[in-house]
């Protein structure tokens, strides 16, 4: 198995990109598979702020596991969206304060609602991707405390409490079939 590594400017490449899947709008269980700390440079509607770049593995019975990218902006304007995420992975209870524990995000599970986003590609053509519409409260989505994906029947799920490895700072996005990165959450043009 090849180990991941940085490529040089003159290296040879061979692997083709995989097919890009847009899931139908609806409710899905997910696992947070990756988290990167980033910086949003700001826009007309949103000042510069820290940005959490998440990769969510969305579990679809029909299409298998599909990666959806979701960005969270660490700003008071989007505090409700941050709370929605942390309630969705079971770290926060509605109405309670929480010190965000990013070390426990990778491996967290939950349930979300996806929507199909339509946008204009760089080539002027209309494109679609999935975006997270909302995260369901963990205790409502899993009243018995169990997220079912990857779990044998009858075994409960407990959220991880600590991330073992340091977080990467690479901000590369994987392109979809049109060369566009699939982004979830808010896009810079929205803020």
């Amino acid at each position: 198995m090849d180990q991941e590594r940085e490529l040089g400017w003159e290296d040879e490449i061979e692997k083709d990109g995989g097919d890009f899947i847009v899931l139908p709008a609806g409710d899905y269980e997910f696992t947070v598979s990756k988290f990167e700390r980033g910086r949003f440079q700001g826009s007309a509607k949103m000042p510069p702020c820290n940005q959490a770049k998440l990769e969510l593995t969305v579990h679809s019975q029909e299409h298998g596991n599909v990666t959806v990218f979701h960005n969270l902006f660490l700003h008071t304007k989007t505090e409700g969206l941050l709370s929605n995420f942390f309630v969705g992975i079971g770290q926060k209870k509605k109405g309670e304060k929480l010190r965000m524990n990013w070390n426990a995000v990778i491996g967290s599970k939950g349930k979300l609602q996806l929507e199909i986003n339509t946008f204009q590609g760089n080539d002027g053509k209309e494109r679609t991707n999935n975006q997270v519409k909302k995260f369901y409260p963990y205790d409502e989505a899993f009243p018995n405390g169990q997220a079912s994906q990857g779990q044998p029947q009858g075994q409960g799920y407990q959220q991880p409490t600590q991330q073992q490895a340091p977080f990467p700072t690479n901000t590369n996005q994987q392109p979809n079939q049109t060369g566009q990165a699939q982004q979830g959450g808010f896009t810079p043009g929205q803020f």
Side-chain angles (χ1 to χ4, degrees), residues 26-107:
D27 297 340
Y28 299 90
E29 291 184 17
F30 71 92
T31 304
V32 180
S33 52
K34 190 173 180 180
F35 160 66
E36 294 178 1
R37 296 173 190 259
R39 185 83 184 151
F40 177 64
Q41 297 305 312
S43 68
K45 296 180 183 178
M46 183 72 151
C49 61
N50 289 324
Q51 178 181 8
K53 297 179 178 189
L54 303 172
E55 285 186 25
L56 308 175
T57 300
V58 176
H59 310 288
S60 166
Q61 291 201 356
E62 186 178 340
H63 301 283
N65 292 335
V66 176
T67 298
V68 174
F69 297 91
H70 185 68
N71 296 319
L72 292 170
F73 299 101
L74 280 70
H75 195 278
T76 55
K77 282 185 163 188
T78 58
E79 187 173 346
L81 298 171
L82 289 163
S83 285
N84 181 248
F85 171 71
F86 281 102
V87 167
I89 62 171
Q91 272 196 38
K92 181 182 184 304
K93 299 286 184 202
K94 282 186 169 184
E96 294 181 3
K97 287 185 177 185
L98 170 80
R99 183 171 307 279
M100 296 179 289
N101 184 358
W102 296 102
N103 291 330
V105 166
I106 294 176

Side-chain angles (χ1 to χ4, degrees), residues 123-138:
D123 59 2
K125 293 182 181 178
E126 191 173 275
R127 308 277 185 224
T128 59
N129 67 3
N130 286 122
Q131 285 190 350
V132 176
K133 185 171 184 175
K134 69 177 180 178
F135 294 97
Y136 291 102
Y138 188 86

Side-chain angles (χ1 to χ4, degrees), residues 29-30 109-110 138 142 145-151 155-157 159:
E29 291 184 17
F30 71 92
K109 299 176 186 296
Y138 188 86
F142 309 105
Q146 299 178 14
S148 63
Q149 68 275 7
Q151 296 289 323
Q155 288 191 358
Y157 171 74
Q159 294 288 17

Side-chain angles (χ1 to χ4, degrees), residues 6-19:
E6 179 180 10
L7 294 173
W9 293 106
E10 305 298 323
D11 283 358
E12 289 182 348
I13 57 173
E14 178 181 355
K15 294 179 187 174
D16 295 322
D19 290 333

